[in-house]
Amino acid sequence: MGVPSAAKRGRAFQLSMRGASRAAMAGVMAGLPPARTDGHSVSTGRPSAATALTALAAALALALIVLPVGAALVAVAACCAGAGLVAGIARAKIGGQTGDILGAAQQLAEIAALLGPFEALDDFTTSKKRSRDFFWYSPILNAQLRRSFGDLVA
């Protein structure tokens, strides 16, 4: 069967973070009351804290399947931080959550989760070595870029 390709592992990571971002959204629903008394959020209801924590535990378990332990913890923590940021702003600005707030929390949580476990390398030797591209195939680009290097590699 062999080791899954990088592309398959990447897709699995993306799918697991999509699930984690929805679990974080459940946390926002559980932690914030509806901002309005007549919105869809009122009729949908709020999950209990136990339900939100169960969703988060399931998201972490899924992340642990596709990522090393440290990266999974960082990704899920970043996911929660992203959703928490939106929740904090919503609480301060409108006193609760709406469907739009939940959507924003999910989107920011997913973005944060996808960016969370990446390592940034900023030492000059590594940046110089890893920022070389295949520009040398082109005589024009080679002349323009041969002394150019990245400041940061992610």
Side-chain angles (χ1 to χ4, degrees):
M1 190 156 121
V3 176
S5 70
K8 286 181 182 176
R9 289 192 314 269
R11 284 192 297 276
F13 169 59
Q14 286 178 332
L15 287 172
S16 71
M17 292 305 100
R18 287 180 184 150
S21 68
R22 272 112 178 130
M25 184 174 65
V28 174
M29 284 181 80
L32 285 180
R36 300 184 339 215
T37 58
D38 62 342
H40 185 64
S41 184
V42 173
S43 64
T44 302
R46 292 172 63 192
S48 66
T51 299
L53 287 173
T54 301
L56 186 61
L60 180 58
L62 186 59
L64 287 168
I65 292 171
V66 299
L67 291 172
V69 174
L73 292 173
V74 167
V76 173
C79 185
C80 292
L85 176 65
V86 172
I89 293 169
R91 183 183 302 276
K93 297 287 185 182
I94 62 172
Q97 47 91 357
T98 65
D100 289 340
I101 296 298
L102 295 175
Q106 183 276 321
Q107 288 292 294
L108 189 57
E110 186 172 337
I111 291 166
L114 291 172
L115 295 176
F118 287 98
E119 179 182 7
L121 306 170
D122 62 355
D123 68 275
F124 179 74
T125 304
T126 304
S127 292
K128 182 177 179 181
K129 180 179 174 183
R130 294 195 178 173
S131 66
R132 306 311 290 169
D133 201 348
F134 291 101
F135 63 83
W136 43 267
Y137 280 123
S138 164
I140 295 169
L141 289 177
N142 191 25
Q144 293 174 350
L145 298 175
R146 72 173 158 240
R147 288 187 278 294
S148 299
F149 305 99
D151 294 323
L152 181 74
V153 176

